[in-house]
Amino acid sequence: MLNVRRLLLLTEATERGSLTAAAEALGMTTSAASQQMSLLEQEAGQPLIERLPRGIRPTPAGAALAERGQVIRRELRAAQADLDSFTALDQGTLRLGSFPTASASLLPLALTRFRRSHAGIRIEVRAGVLAELREMLHTGEVEQGLLWDYEWNRFDDPALSLTHLLDDPTVLVVPADSPLRSHPSVRLGDLADQEWIIRADNHPVADVLRRSCRQAGFEPRIAYSSHDYQEAQAMVAAGLGIALAPRLALTSRRSDVRLLPFASDVPAPTRRILLARAAARPATPPAQAMARVLRTVAQRFTAPGLHRAQLGAVRRG
């Protein structure tokens, strides 16, 4: 097979009529260019240029190869331009994994901000539970994934590189007219006689409720098992019971429920929101840019002002 670099040298020499000029254009010495041309002629099995007193002239075979070289050079330049555009975030695809709470709160704002600066990047989002997201990261189906964990089940996977984005505290969801709404904070142990709305299908928040109540000294009485947070809020609003939920899950809060913070000494757990990627694969430029955006957006969700805005309706109710 012909050496591409030597073929490009022939193309330059044919266009410029000089091996010396071609060598200079390609950053070579004239001596090195002459040696490379001789090697190309050996590969071709025939002369490709005629050396004249002033410059060179291609043989018919050399002229034919030089035409091919022009096409190859054009494609190589296009390939380099493609690489440059990926680096400059002008094109490409970024595949993300996420879970419902993050997809309804943190991720939309991050996607909006990302697209403003990098409109040429196509984004694909895959949703899943924790085990599914982990598998997507391992197989490369997604390059980055939003994950979560609690203190009792810390995410530990040496194959994944983790970035802690924010802490998401657990809050109490009560009806808008609940007597509890006047309390600046609530003690879980004072809620032993309450009915509870729980998440169905072994949802992690169901585990949070049972763990927290047992730690506070009682077993929760379950009035309803919901399949999403909007359904849980509706049952709370109807007075069927109260509920625990991560604060991020309630960024779309119904007007007929209130969110109450727990006292600082209450065993109501906080979950971590994490950004993960495969440790063995270097992050692409789009992934690096998205990580920066997510870190910035996460600060908005941890800002005291946001927390007060979400919980402040307690006193206004």
Short mmCIF file of all heavy atoms in Angstrom, two decimals, residues 173 197 226 228-238 243 249-257 259:
data_model
loop_
_atom_site.label_atom_id
_atom_site.label_comp_id
_atom_site.label_asym_id
_atom_site.label_seq_id
_atom_site.Cartn_x
_atom_site.Cartn_y
_atom_site.Cartn_z
N VAL A 173 -44.50 16.36 53.53
CA VAL A 173 -45.57 16.92 52.70
C VAL A 173 -46.88 16.78 53.46
O VAL A 173 -47.26 15.68 53.86
CB VAL A 173 -45.66 16.16 51.35
CG1 VAL A 173 -46.65 16.86 50.42
CG2 VAL A 173 -44.29 16.05 50.70
N ILE A 197 -48.70 8.37 53.26
CA ILE A 197 -48.69 8.03 51.83
C ILE A 197 -47.28 7.55 51.51
O ILE A 197 -46.30 8.25 51.78
CB ILE A 197 -49.02 9.25 50.94
CG1 ILE A 197 -50.28 9.96 51.44
CG2 ILE A 197 -49.15 8.83 49.48
CD1 ILE A 197 -51.51 9.12 51.45
N SER A 226 -48.50 5.21 46.39
CA SER A 226 -48.56 5.97 45.14
C SER A 226 -47.46 5.53 44.18
O SER A 226 -46.45 4.95 44.59
CB SER A 226 -48.41 7.47 45.43
OG SER A 226 -47.09 7.75 45.88
N ASP A 228 -46.20 7.84 41.75
CA ASP A 228 -45.37 9.00 41.41
C ASP A 228 -45.64 10.10 42.43
O ASP A 228 -46.58 10.01 43.24
CB ASP A 228 -45.61 9.50 39.99
CG ASP A 228 -47.04 9.92 39.73
OD1 ASP A 228 -47.55 10.78 40.48
OD2 ASP A 228 -47.66 9.38 38.78
N TYR A 229 -44.83 11.16 42.40
CA TYR A 229 -44.93 12.20 43.42
C TYR A 229 -46.17 13.08 43.23
O TYR A 229 -46.71 13.60 44.21
CB TYR A 229 -43.66 13.05 43.42
CG TYR A 229 -42.47 12.30 43.99
CD1 TYR A 229 -41.42 11.90 43.17
CD2 TYR A 229 -42.41 11.99 45.34
CE1 TYR A 229 -40.34 11.21 43.69
CE2 TYR A 229 -41.34 11.29 45.87
CZ TYR A 229 -40.30 10.90 45.03
OH TYR A 229 -39.24 10.20 45.55
N GLN A 230 -46.63 13.26 42.02
CA GLN A 230 -47.86 14.02 41.81
C GLN A 230 -49.05 13.29 42.43
O GLN A 230 -49.93 13.90 43.04
CB GLN A 230 -48.08 14.27 40.32
CG GLN A 230 -47.18 15.35 39.73
CD GLN A 230 -47.38 16.70 40.39
OE1 GLN A 230 -46.51 17.20 41.10
NE2 GLN A 230 -48.54 17.31 40.17
N GLU A 231 -49.08 11.98 42.24
CA GLU A 231 -50.15 11.19 42.85
C GLU A 231 -50.06 11.25 44.36
O GLU A 231 -51.08 11.39 45.06
CB GLU A 231 -50.04 9.74 42.36
CG GLU A 231 -51.14 8.84 42.87
CD GLU A 231 -50.93 7.39 42.47
OE1 GLU A 231 -49.84 7.07 41.95
OE2 GLU A 231 -51.85 6.59 42.71
N ALA A 232 -48.86 11.18 44.90
CA ALA A 232 -48.68 11.26 46.35
C ALA A 232 -49.16 12.61 46.88
O ALA A 232 -49.85 12.68 47.90
CB ALA A 232 -47.21 11.05 46.69
N GLN A 233 -48.82 13.70 46.17
CA GLN A 233 -49.27 15.02 46.59
C GLN A 233 -50.79 15.11 46.57
O GLN A 233 -51.40 15.72 47.46
CB GLN A 233 -48.67 16.09 45.68
CG GLN A 233 -47.19 16.33 45.86
CD GLN A 233 -46.72 17.53 45.05
OE1 GLN A 233 -47.09 18.66 45.33
NE2 GLN A 233 -45.91 17.26 44.03
N ALA A 234 -51.42 14.52 45.55
CA ALA A 234 -52.88 14.57 45.44
C ALA A 234 -53.54 13.87 46.62
O ALA A 234 -54.54 14.36 47.18
CB ALA A 234 -53.33 13.94 44.12
N MET A 235 -52.99 12.74 47.04
CA MET A 235 -53.55 12.02 48.18
C MET A 235 -53.33 12.78 49.48
O MET A 235 -54.18 12.78 50.37
CB MET A 235 -52.94 10.62 48.26
CG MET A 235 -53.32 9.70 47.10
SD MET A 235 -55.11 9.39 46.97
CE MET A 235 -55.52 10.48 45.59
N VAL A 236 -52.18 13.44 49.59
CA VAL A 236 -51.93 14.28 50.76
C VAL A 236 -52.93 15.43 50.79
O VAL A 236 -53.54 15.73 51.82
CB VAL A 236 -50.48 14.81 50.76
CG1 VAL A 236 -50.30 15.89 51.84
CG2 VAL A 236 -49.48 13.67 50.99
N ALA A 237 -53.10 16.09 49.63
CA ALA A 237 -54.03 17.22 49.55
C ALA A 237 -55.45 16.79 49.92
O ALA A 237 -56.22 17.58 50.52
CB ALA A 237 -54.02 17.81 48.15
N ALA A 238 -55.81 15.55 49.60
CA ALA A 238 -57.15 15.04 49.90
C ALA A 238 -57.31 14.67 51.37
O ALA A 238 -58.42 14.29 51.80
CB ALA A 238 -57.45 13.84 49.02
N ALA A 243 -46.74 12.62 53.83
CA ALA A 243 -45.72 11.88 53.08
C ALA A 243 -44.34 12.47 53.31
O ALA A 243 -44.19 13.65 53.65
CB ALA A 243 -46.05 11.88 51.59
N ALA A 249 -37.85 16.30 44.35
CA ALA A 249 -39.02 15.66 43.75
C ALA A 249 -40.24 16.57 43.77
O ALA A 249 -41.24 16.27 43.12
CB ALA A 249 -39.34 14.36 44.47
N LEU A 250 -40.15 17.69 44.49
CA LEU A 250 -41.32 18.53 44.68
C LEU A 250 -41.12 19.93 44.13
O LEU A 250 -41.75 20.88 44.60
CB LEU A 250 -41.66 18.59 46.18
CG LEU A 250 -41.94 17.21 46.80
CD1 LEU A 250 -41.95 17.30 48.32
CD2 LEU A 250 -43.26 16.66 46.30
N THR A 251 -40.27 20.07 43.14
CA THR A 251 -40.11 21.38 42.51
C THR A 251 -41.40 21.80 41.80
O THR A 251 -41.64 22.99 41.61
CB THR A 251 -38.93 21.37 41.51
OG1 THR A 251 -39.08 20.26 40.62
CG2 THR A 251 -37.61 21.25 42.24
N SER A 252 -42.21 20.81 41.39
CA SER A 252 -43.55 21.11 40.85
C SER A 252 -44.57 20.82 41.94
O SER A 252 -45.29 19.81 41.92
CB SER A 252 -43.83 20.25 39.61
OG SER A 252 -42.92 20.55 38.58
N ARG A 253 -44.62 21.70 42.92
CA ARG A 253 -45.49 21.47 44.08
C ARG A 253 -46.91 21.93 43.81
O ARG A 253 -47.13 23.00 43.24
CB ARG A 253 -44.92 22.22 45.30
CG ARG A 253 -45.75 22.04 46.57
CD ARG A 253 -45.18 22.86 47.72
NE ARG A 253 -45.14 24.28 47.42
CZ ARG A 253 -46.19 25.10 47.52
NH1 ARG A 253 -47.38 24.62 47.88
NH2 ARG A 253 -46.07 26.39 47.26
N ARG A 254 -47.86 21.13 44.22
CA ARG A 254 -49.27 21.52 44.13
C ARG A 254 -49.53 22.67 45.10
O ARG A 254 -48.91 22.78 46.16
CB ARG A 254 -50.17 20.33 44.49
CG ARG A 254 -50.17 19.21 43.48
CD ARG A 254 -50.97 18.02 44.03
NE ARG A 254 -52.34 18.40 44.36
CZ ARG A 254 -53.42 18.05 43.67
NH1 ARG A 254 -53.28 17.31 42.58
NH2 ARG A 254 -54.63 18.41 44.06
N SER A 255 -50.50 23.51 44.76
CA SER A 255 -50.83 24.65 45.61
C SER A 255 -51.57 24.24 46.88
O SER A 255 -51.66 25.03 47.83
CB SER A 255 -51.67 25.66 44.83
OG SER A 255 -52.89 25.07 44.42
N ASP A 256 -52.10 23.01 46.89
CA ASP A 256 -52.90 22.59 48.05
C ASP A 256 -52.12 21.68 49.00
O ASP A 256 -52.71 20.97 49.82
CB ASP A 256 -54.20 21.92 47.61
CG ASP A 256 -53.98 20.85 46.55
OD1 ASP A 256 -52.80 20.56 46.24
OD2 ASP A 256 -54.98 20.31 46.03
N VAL A 257 -50.79 21.67 48.88
CA VAL A 257 -49.96 20.99 49.87
C VAL A 257 -48.87 21.95 50.32
O VAL A 257 -48.58 22.94 49.66
CB VAL A 257 -49.32 19.69 49.32
CG1 VAL A 257 -50.39 18.71 48.87
CG2 VAL A 257 -48.34 19.98 48.20
N LEU A 259 -44.81 22.04 52.21
CA LEU A 259 -43.59 21.29 52.52
C LEU A 259 -43.01 21.82 53.81
O LEU A 259 -42.79 23.03 53.97
CB LEU A 259 -42.56 21.45 51.39
CG LEU A 259 -43.05 21.25 49.96
CD1 LEU A 259 -41.88 21.35 48.99
CD2 LEU A 259 -43.78 19.93 49.81
#
